[in-house]
Amino acid sequence: MHITALDGMTQRQKQALLDAGYDTADKLLRLFPRTVVALNGLKPLENLEDGQMTVVLGRVAETPRPVRIRRGLSVLRVKLIYGDTPMTLVWFNQDFYANSLAADRYYYAYGRLKKTKSSYQLSAPRLISFPQERALYPFYPPVKGVSNSALIGLIEKALAGCGDPGYLRAETAEAYGLIGRNAALRRLHRPETYGDYVLARRSLSAEELGTSLAAHTLVRRQSRRARTVVYADKREALQKAADGLPYRLTGDQRRALDEVICDMSGPEPMNRLLQGDVGSGKTVVAMLAMYYAYLSGCQAVLMAPTEILAFQHYQTALKLFEPLGVRCCRLSGSLPKKARDAALFEIESGAAGFIIGTHALLSEDVIFKNPALIVTDEQQRFGVGQRGLLESKSAGGDILSMSATPIPRTLSLALYGELRQSVLKEKPEGRKPVVTRVVRPGKERDMWDYLKRKAAAGEQSYVVCPRIDEDDDDGERTGVPAAKALFDREKAGFKPGELALIHGRLKEAEKNAVMRRFESGEARVLIATTVVEVGLDVRAATSMVIYGADRLGLSQLHQLRGRVGRGERESYCFILDGGAESAAERLGFFAACSDGFELAEYDFMQRGGGEFVGEDQSGGAGGLILDEAIVRAAKGIAADILSDEAACKRLRAALDEQETAQLKNITLN
Ligand code: ADP
Ligand code: MG
């Protein structure tokens, strides 16, 4: 049912819903409440704790009037009597709440409790009119131009018309302890108990994931492409190249390379993900595959997310593959015009065998002669669109994506059948685990003294800060120093040029210059924002300091830690957490665990799969839930659909064009 067919809506609201992408009643029904608030069993204020999310029901004691404090700042304080206890509701710059409140009337208010010895206050609470027949009241994610209570009314109407039975068969529902779609939607939006609400969310999450898995398979089946490039069997020459490397490939590298070559020899174009921790040696696997393409007279393209990384890859290629006769060519945004023209010519004429660059490769005037293999490094850094564009430049070519962000086992379990991946778990020889220490605030000076001693001895360190400037955080004081401030603070303790600073606001050329100074060893300690996160390889770096570690995901921390420990010397990772109590357990786990997959799994279980399936369906409060049991149920549901011709037909018809295009492009982000 189209959204405009729901009655009781103003023209404004209709437009607002359309603007927000809710064009059908069904989409509106898929809007999960962010929270549900229990209106029964309210507790007296004395029994509640400071900082707790709280619901009260009280009488407004006097007509509310906002007060203007200064230009641009007004405050509205409303006195509310809850039971016998007076309390205050406070809003800043939200004067309109004055109009929704009348003296001597009753309201529910929901917000965070601020409790002092003599007063109770809720800051910026949300209001619910009284009386309510619901015991549990839903708050939806904000839709601009439509209030929460209007949303509740509209969803109520949409529920009355909902008839789509969904794809969950009764036996499957029973087997996984779930309920069917219509029942689940009713309980999601109008739960009677909290248990109802949770069961509804679980059921809908499983069904949603199950249908997208099935849809994914259907679309893939339809869009299978035929291989356009056929390679000569050059395995022997490839083996010779591998034998000529300055090191022996690890078992995992050999296996991954076999899998890649096997795909490249198959009937369909390759679409494989090469996954492995930082430092596991993905680059050389990719380059050997590129060499395999070269051996059949084809071009191979490697796209990296930053200039620095592209340059490093280019140098690797020069060192390892130019001696074998491969002409390597580099393309990036900062290349001077003359060099760029020369590169373009080599690419178009086919002289270049390996083409390595940044997204500059996507530019229209880059025309490949005969591209057979496309590799993207740190694929999660590129948008689906960018990757798609590169892939379209080589219709029917082979695609290899590399990523250091491990996909949690739970999720790969769900997608395993569809996604071909090779995993490098084994580390190249001689690599030592990085010793990780949580640095308490009182020990920060000792740590800097250690960095100075190491610098004097010729060893290098990274120091990562979450922010560039002090004021980057909406004024929120966190106790975590910003990169620039830290640089100014510590500069005096180092010899001139020994301490360097790099961050995302520097121009590309400046960034490159700083990186070169660090690579050459002239700069010993590099203060950086997370720009260093991506694949750099500086062997003399032995310490990694991370400020504000509690704000980063464990996978991201692990990537950062992987910047060190590449040489023979013992390496250290120091994490500083800004003092948040809640982070202690997580960071403790991080310090004790050096397996990227386990870390990803831990974060996945704690925070849900939002990062992986896209923000708007995120697994946080109120969104889709993704855990092992749900993934298992989803696979069951997908299997049901795929084995039932009628269900497949129904699903195909339900997919609109846009969804189909998206599904075609999914690799994993
Ligand atoms: P990542 O997987 O993070 O992209 P790289 O490909 O950058 O890792 O490899 C990290 C380092 O390990 C590089 O300096 C590379 O030369 C080295 N390396 C790769 N494979 C091996 C190996 N089998 N033995 C020893 N060193 C290796
Ligand atoms: Mg890499």
Side-chain angles (χ1 to χ4, degrees):
M1 179 167 47
H2 198 263
I3 197 81
T4 47
L6 287 180
D7 48 53
M9 238 188 306
T10 65
Q11 202 52 43
R12 257 238 189 95
Q13 287 171 334
K14 274 181 196 166
Q15 197 52 51
L17 284 172
L18 288 176
D19 289 347
Y22 297 102
D23 55 347
T24 65
D26 190 60
K27 280 194 190 150
L28 194 60
L29 286 173
R30 274 148 64 186
L31 182 65
F32 281 32
R34 207 172 240 182
T35 53
V36 292
V37 176
L39 300 182
N40 50 2
L42 300 191
K43 294 199 187 97
L45 289 171
E46 304 87 74
N47 295 2
L48 292 165
E49 283 178 31
D50 184 49
Q52 212 178 333
M53 291 305 283
T54 302
V55 196
V56 298
L57 168 62
R59 176 172 58 84
V60 172
E62 61 208 10
T63 304
R65 291 214 168 67
V67 177
R68 214 160 109 127
I69 297 184
R70 57 175 162 79
R71 217 184 137 89
L73 182 65
S74 63
V75 61
L76 173 66
R77 287 175 191 282
V78 175
K79 201 166 152 202
L80 194 78
I81 312 293
Y82 174 41
D84 301 324
T85 319
M87 64 179 306
T88 317
L89 310 181
V90 184
W91 289 273
F92 287 100
N93 287 347
Q94 289 182 298
D95 295 353
F96 55 86
Y97 275 107
N99 304 327
S100 5
L101 291 160
D104 282 332
R105 302 277 290 269
Y106 282 82
Y107 301 89
Y108 291 100
Y110 171 66
R112 204 170 287 286
L113 182 66
K114 232 190 217 164
K115 190 171 171 177
T116 65
K117 274 201 197 89
S118 54
S119 74
Y120 297 100
Q121 180 183 313
L122 289 186
S123 1
R126 304 189 65 165
L127 294 175
I128 303 168
S129 62
F130 175 82
Q132 284 291 331
E133 43 180 280
R134 296 163 179 261
L136 289 169
Y137 187 88
F139 280 111
Y140 291 96
V143 176
K144 209 171 162 229
V146 189
S147 71
N148 191 64
S149 57
L151 271 179
I152 291 178
L154 289 171
I155 286 174
E156 196 86 330
K157 286 193 185 113
L159 271 179
C162 89
D164 178 355
Y167 295 90
L168 183 60
R169 291 178 25 215
E171 296 83 11
T172 310
E174 171 103 23
Y176 293 102
L178 303 173
I179 54 174
R181 182 183 156 80
N182 282 330
L185 282 174
R186 292 212 162 78
R187 292 205 209 177
L188 177 76
H189 295 293
R190 226 180 196 299
E192 285 182 5
T193 65
Y194 198 72
D196 266 1
Y197 170 68
V198 173
L199 178 62
R201 273 181 62 196
R202 295 191 69 82
S203 301
L204 291 166
S205 299
E207 194 169 343
E208 191 116 325
L209 182 60
T211 19
S212 19
L213 286 176
H216 191 207
T217 308
L218 288 178
V219 169
R220 279 278 151 117
R221 275 183 196 164
Q222 260 172 19
S223 63
R224 258 185 204 154
R225 302 165 301 160
R227 161 168 297 287
T228 52
V229 193
V230 179
Y231 306 96
D233 186 349
K234 297 279 187 182
R235 286 172 209 241
E236 246 171 69
L238 182 69
Q239 185 59 46
K240 247 178 90 188
D243 291 342
L245 290 170
Y247 41 73
R248 273 171 55 92
L249 292 183
T250 65
D252 278 354
Q253 283 175 318
R254 256 179 286 132
R255 190 168 328 118
L257 183 61
D258 276 349
E259 287 165 352
V260 168
I261 301 303
C262 185
D263 280 2
M264 288 170 73
S265 317
E268 284 167 41
M270 165 168 74
N271 189 358
R272 178 170 289 273
L273 182 67
L274 177 58
Q275 241 200 104
D277 252 0
V278 260
S280 57
K282 296 183 287 291
T283 317
V284 72
V285 174
M287 286 192 182
L288 284 166
M290 291 167 72
Y291 183 62
Y292 194 75
Y294 162 84
L295 287 171
S296 292
C298 301
Q299 289 179 314
V301 184
L302 169 58
M303 183 165 80
T306 64
E307 291 226 358
I308 299 170
L309 204 55
F311 189 62
Q312 240 175 28
H313 287 331
Y314 174 66
Q315 285 174 315
T316 305
L318 283 185
K319 194 173 89 200
L320 299 180
F321 292 93
E322 207 153 69
L324 301 178
V326 185
R327 175 92 190 117
C328 302
C329 154
R330 177 168 84 100
L331 196 79
S332 69
S334 69
L335 223 55
K337 170 126 181 33
K338 238 172 111 184
R340 182 185 157 83
D341 287 345
L344 288 180
F345 178 75
E346 290 195 356
I347 295 171
E348 190 165 358
S349 69
F354 282 14
I355 299 151
I356 299 173
T358 58
H359 50 267
L361 292 169
L362 301 174
S363 154
E364 241 173 63
D365 55 356
V366 180
I367 299 156
F368 302 113
K369 170 95 184 297
N370 55 350
L373 170 64
I374 306 263
V375 182
T376 48
D377 192 13
E378 308 290 344
Q379 60 103 19
Q380 74 283 0
R381 292 281 166 139
F382 294 105
V384 167
Q386 281 180 319
R387 284 201 311 263
L389 198 60
L390 187 63
E391 285 156 19
S392 71
K393 280 186 179 240
S394 84
D398 291 303
I399 295 161
L400 181 66
S401 316
M402 299 193 273
S403 170
T405 309
I407 299 166
R409 194 176 48 89
T410 311
L411 196 60
S412 64
L413 202 104
L415 302 166
Y416 201 76
E418 282 313 306
L419 187 84
R420 289 168 172 270
Q421 56 174 340
S422 301
V423 179
L424 304 182
K425 276 208 140 178
E426 198 179 330
K427 291 281 164 71
E429 260 169 48
R431 202 146 298 169
K432 291 188 184 163
V434 180
V435 180
T436 305
R437 296 268 178 269
V438 180
V439 179
R440 302 280 156 230
K443 296 281 182 193
E444 190 186 344
R445 286 312 332 152
D446 292 353
M447 179 192 78
W448 275 99
D449 290 340
Y450 173 84
L451 297 183
K452 277 174 214 161
R453 281 200 306 279
K454 285 286 167 184
E459 289 184 33
Q460 291 175 282
S461 311
Y462 296 98
V463 177
V464 174
C465 301
R467 290 166 303 145
I468 303 175
D469 274 318
E470 289 297 348
D471 53 356
D472 281 351
D473 222 346
D474 307 327
E476 190 194 344
R477 288 266 152 193
T478 53
V480 180
K484 277 184 179 167
L486 196 64
F487 179 76
D488 291 336
R489 193 183 87 190
E490 301 294 337
K491 202 166 42 182
F494 289 87
K495 294 204 194 90
E498 253 187 9
L499 186 67
L501 173 68
I502 192 169
H503 57 74
R505 267 184 232 153
L506 293 181
K507 294 211 181 70
E508 204 63 46
E510 293 175 288
K511 272 193 248 176
N512 285 332
V514 176
M515 268 325 293
R516 237 168 285 153
R517 275 179 44 219
F518 189 63
E519 276 173 326
S520 72
E522 184 191 333
R524 296 279 159 80
V525 178
L526 181 65
I527 297 186
T529 50
T530 42
V531 291
V532 294
E533 186 196 329
V534 158
L536 287 179
D537 190 19
V538 176
R539 296 192 147 234
T542 53
S543 295
M544 167 61 69
V545 177
I546 308 169
Y547 277 91
D550 50 320
R551 302 166 167 212
L552 301 177
L554 295 189
S555 289
Q556 207 182 356
L557 287 174
H558 187 59
Q559 288 231 32
L560 286 170
R561 176 165 66 182
R563 303 289 107 236
V564 297
R566 300 195 155 203
E568 278 69 52
R569 275 176 291 212
E570 183 96 77
S571 296
Y572 288 89
C573 176
F574 300 107
I575 47 184
L576 296 93
D577 66 3
E581 196 63 47
S582 55
E585 189 193 317
R586 245 178 98 240
L587 295 182
F589 184 80
F590 174 71
C593 173
S594 60
D595 179 329
F597 287 87
E598 263 179 54
L599 291 168
E601 185 74 10
Y602 181 92
D603 251 4
F604 182 71
M605 285 310 183
Q606 305 265 309
R607 311 204 298 192
E611 289 168 69
F612 294 94
V613 293
E615 250 332 290
D616 50 339
Q617 6 181 321
S618 109
L624 283 190
I625 311 173
L626 264 180
D627 59 26
E628 213 163 327
I630 285 188
V631 164
R632 232 178 293 121
K635 290 193 80 168
I637 296 168
D640 281 352
I641 298 174
L642 292 172
S643 63
D644 173 357
E645 201 33 61
C648 286
K649 219 167 147 185
R650 191 148 63 89
L651 180 57
R652 251 191 235 110
L655 290 175
D656 60 28
E657 240 169 77
Q658 189 197 349
E659 282 169 319
T660 311
Q662 267 173 5
L663 284 168
K664 270 189 195 157
N665 267 324
I666 285 184
T667 48
L668 246 190
N669 61 1

